[in-house]
Amino acid sequence: MAYNSIIVRLEMNHERINFGNVASAVSKAGGDITSIDVIRSGQLNSVRDITIHVADQKDTEVIDALKQLPGIVVVNVSDQTFLAHLGGKIEVTPKMPIKNRDDLSKVYTPGVARVSNAIHENREKAYSLTIKRNTVAVVTDGTAVLGLGDIGPEAAAPVMEGKAMLFKQLAGVDAFPICLNTKDTEEIIRTIKNISPIFGGINLEDISSPRCFEIETRLAQELDIPVFHDDQHGTAIVVVAGLLNALKVVGKRIEHVRVVVNGIGAAGVSICKMLLAAGVTRLVPVDREGAIVRGGGYDHHPMWAWLAQQPQVEDKAGTLQEVIGGADVFIGVSRGNVLSAADVEQMASDRIVFAMANPTPEIDPEEAMKIVRVFATGRSDYPNQINNVLVFPGVFRGALDCRARSINEPMKLAAARAIAAVVTAEERNEQYIIPSIFNEQVVAKVRRAVVEAAILTGVARRIPPDFR
Ligand SMILES: NC(=O)C1=CN([C@@H]2O[C@H](COP(=O)(O)OP(=O)(O)OC[C@H]3O[C@@H](n4cnc5c(N)ncnc54)[C@H](O)[C@@H]3O)[C@@H](O)[C@H]2O)C=CC1
Ligand SMILES: CC(=O)C(=O)O
Ligand SMILES: [Mg+2]
């Protein structure tokens, strides 16, 4: 279950109530007081800030319980998650101060003109003389934000800022959120191409399918910097990493398992492609209207049409409930609460369920954990967090360091194997199939694997010093 922290400012009349009554009311309503700060204390009244750890969506119950107490005034309630977003979460910081005219003439005019001319003569110098070599655009149109859907570019911004923070903290990559006010494929492609000169890479984020496929393919063809749709490939890479380890835990081989993937959008298509490349022989892709079957006609969706031609895709039609029976693996990248315990119980023994819709998984984790052998979500509050945050920082660190032209399939497979290998055979178990995002080996190993594969496949334009 997810928890949140709220800070409640209370004015208490000491003649009518004591703090013990407050603590017991909070606890009865489902909260847990974790700290108390006295703001003002007098003989009759005091004002205190109490921090309460409270289960998701239970905060109103706790506040209502406090409001009903005699001698209490709830002065203010602040939610720590909202506080963390106040004013946005990132800023631009200069690398040196401008203290005098001499500094000014170096970083700005007239000195800067010589640097600009040098880049004009040799465009490649943008990599050594500007932020290009370490800067990635995180671009969205706000149409498939987490599992929240088409909530618009402004509402997508907190997620993009969060991605930018993770890029910087985990891999030292400077990432900038760009939220576009258009859903038009051609306009998105044109805009990204037009802003690309300052960036060393483009991370596409939360752009809904099927537009995301064309946008990525065209940009990858038309730009000479890496373009990576995180929801497609970041997710597929981390799923394959988790699955390789989960299969070892349950003692099944990838070529023998039957895999149901629910939600064949951006993430689902790429997961299916990568599972086939990794050796899956029995695949059941399922979307809203049921299974996508071998030989079916899907003229409206080129990626579904491609899937329907793959020999490993089953030809049995049906709803999720009709096709899940006997499956060894369920991978959900669709939306919250679409899978019941009864559905999961139809699966094979030693089943593996990755319920990755964010923020609400396909099945309630508390229910699922009782009936599956290996369970994972995209969330940080349960064991086995399968989230593309394990991928994009290291992939871009590697791609920027070797100045890769693109991020190709061998680089992606190498990244998946590198993530899986962070968990050793001794450490691996049902609760630990995937490393934590705070495990420092993750970015280092993914970077190394990505650079090696880029060099081997000829897309690296620079050999980083530690590879010479
Ligand atoms: N844990 C992680 O790292 C990641 C999780 N996700 C999650 O996966 C979900 C999908 O993300 P995207 O692929 O980017 O979105 P998308 O919008 O491209 O695709 C969603 C697909 O799910 C299908 N769908 C919706 N309801 C369904 C249902 N009841 N049954 C079967 N299919 C259904 C839609 O028709 C669509 O094809 C979101 O909840 C997102 O948060 C996505 C990327 C990474
Ligand atoms: C994690 C992520 O990128 C998503 O849920 O869309
Ligand atoms: Mg995303």
Side-chain angles (χ1 to χ4, degrees), residues 257-300:
V257 289
R258 183 165 176 267
V259 184
V260 172
V261 179
N262 196 57
I264 309 301
V269 164
S270 188
I271 289 169
C272 288
K273 278 169 89 176
M274 209 159 167
L275 289 175
L276 296 179
V280 166
T281 58
R282 289 193 296 157
L283 181 65
V284 189
V286 185
D287 206 84
R288 268 185 248 256
E289 284 92 42
I292 292 168
V293 290
R294 179 155 39 88
Y298 302 100
D299 295 343
H300 62 293

Side-chain angles (χ1 to χ4, degrees), residues 187-266:
E187 215 174 352
I188 292 174
I189 293 170
R190 202 165 42 247
T191 307
I192 295 176
K193 282 175 70 180
N194 284 337
I195 62 166
S196 68
I198 192 66
F199 295 107
I202 306 288
N203 181 98
L204 301 173
E205 191 67 45
D206 294 350
I207 298 177
S208 67
S209 65
R211 292 168 316 125
C212 61
F213 303 116
E214 169 152 19
I215 292 170
E216 190 198 37
T217 308
R218 289 264 307 282
L219 285 170
Q221 282 163 359
E222 295 174 29
L223 289 175
D224 67 348
I225 53 174
V227 179
F228 182 82
H229 184 197
D230 178 38
D231 299 286
Q232 287 185 60
H233 316 301
T235 316
I237 290 168
V238 72
V239 163
V240 169
L243 187 60
L244 292 174
N245 282 342
L247 289 172
K248 285 183 191 147
V249 169
V250 302
K252 295 185 186 179
R253 294 174 64 93
I254 197 157
E255 55 282 17
H256 296 157
V257 289
R258 183 165 176 267
V259 184
V260 172
V261 179
N262 196 57
I264 309 301

Side-chain angles (χ1 to χ4, degrees), residues 146 163 205-206 230-231 358 387-388:
L146 309 176
K163 295 264 175 192
E205 191 67 45
D206 294 350
D230 178 38
D231 299 286
N358 285 321
N387 195 294
N388 50 30

Side-chain angles (χ1 to χ4, degrees), residues 7-316:
I7 303 174
V8 185
R9 180 160 290 186
L10 293 180
E11 187 169 335
M12 290 174 56
N13 179 324
H14 299 160
E15 285 179 338
R16 299 183 66 202
I17 192 153
N18 64 42
F19 199 78
N21 305 126
V22 172
S24 94
V26 168
S27 154
K28 267 194 209 142
D32 189 12
I33 296 181
T34 53
S35 71
I36 306 155
D37 289 304
V38 178
I39 304 299
R40 184 161 44 78
S41 186
Q43 274 195 327
L44 268 183
N45 288 301
S46 68
V47 175
R48 301 169 198 221
D49 279 350
I50 58 172
T51 306
I52 305 172
H53 192 57
V54 61
D56 230 5
Q57 291 163 14
K58 289 273 179 197
D59 45 348
T60 40
E61 284 175 37
V62 171
I63 294 156
D64 286 348
L66 287 170
K67 282 182 178 163
Q68 277 161 25
L69 291 174
I72 284 281
V73 177
V74 175
V75 180
N76 184 39
V77 181
S78 48
D79 177 318
Q80 293 205 319
T81 302
F82 274 77
L83 284 179
H85 287 77
L86 270 189
K89 303 195 288 288
I90 55 170
E91 63 183 8
V92 173
T93 312
K95 284 184 178 169
M96 60 178 274
I98 305 169
K99 287 192 280 204
N100 49 44
R101 288 198 169 270
D102 193 32
D103 291 342
L104 182 63
S105 66
K106 279 196 200 108
V107 301
Y108 192 50
T109 183
V112 73
R114 284 199 299 120
V115 182
S116 287
N117 274 329
I119 299 171
H120 177 59
E121 278 160 25
N122 178 1
R123 222 165 49 93
E124 280 300 293
K125 287 201 171 151
Y127 278 104
S128 53
L129 295 171
T130 74
I131 60 172
K132 185 177 178 80
R133 78 162 147 200
N134 199 47
T135 306
V136 165
V138 178
V139 189
T140 189
D141 63 355
T143 52
V145 182
L146 309 176
L148 306 173
D150 184 357
I151 59 172
E154 290 85 357
V159 179
M160 305 308 128
E161 289 182 15
K163 295 264 175 192
M165 288 175 90
L166 290 159
F167 262 117
K168 185 68 178 180
Q169 179 172 326
L170 299 175
V173 171
D174 294 302
F176 199 83
I178 297 190
C179 303
L180 301 176
N181 196 16
T182 174
K183 297 179 195 174
D184 180 78
T185 301
E186 291 304 323
E187 215 174 352
I188 292 174
I189 293 170
R190 202 165 42 247
T191 307
I192 295 176
K193 282 175 70 180
N194 284 337
I195 62 166
S196 68
I198 192 66
F199 295 107
I202 306 288
N203 181 98
L204 301 173
E205 191 67 45
D206 294 350
I207 298 177
S208 67
S209 65
R211 292 168 316 125
C212 61
F213 303 116
E214 169 152 19
I215 292 170
E216 190 198 37
T217 308
R218 289 264 307 282
L219 285 170
Q221 282 163 359
E222 295 174 29
L223 289 175
D224 67 348
I225 53 174
V227 179
F228 182 82
H229 184 197
D230 178 38
D231 299 286
Q232 287 185 60
H233 316 301
T235 316
I237 290 168
V238 72
V239 163
V240 169
L243 187 60
L244 292 174
N245 282 342
L247 289 172
K248 285 183 191 147
V249 169
V250 302
K252 295 185 186 179
R253 294 174 64 93
I254 197 157
E255 55 282 17
H256 296 157
V257 289
R258 183 165 176 267
V259 184
V260 172
V261 179
N262 196 57
I264 309 301
V269 164
S270 188
I271 289 169
C272 288
K273 278 169 89 176
M274 209 159 167
L275 289 175
L276 296 179
V280 166
T281 58
R282 289 193 296 157
L283 181 65
V284 189
V286 185
D287 206 84
R288 268 185 248 256
E289 284 92 42
I292 292 168
V293 290
R294 179 155 39 88
Y298 302 100
D299 295 343
H300 62 293
H301 198 309
M303 299 313 295
W304 292 8
W306 178 86
L307 267 175
Q309 287 162 10
Q310 305 311 305
Q312 302 93 331
V313 169
E314 290 188 354
D315 58 5
K316 185 172 157 254

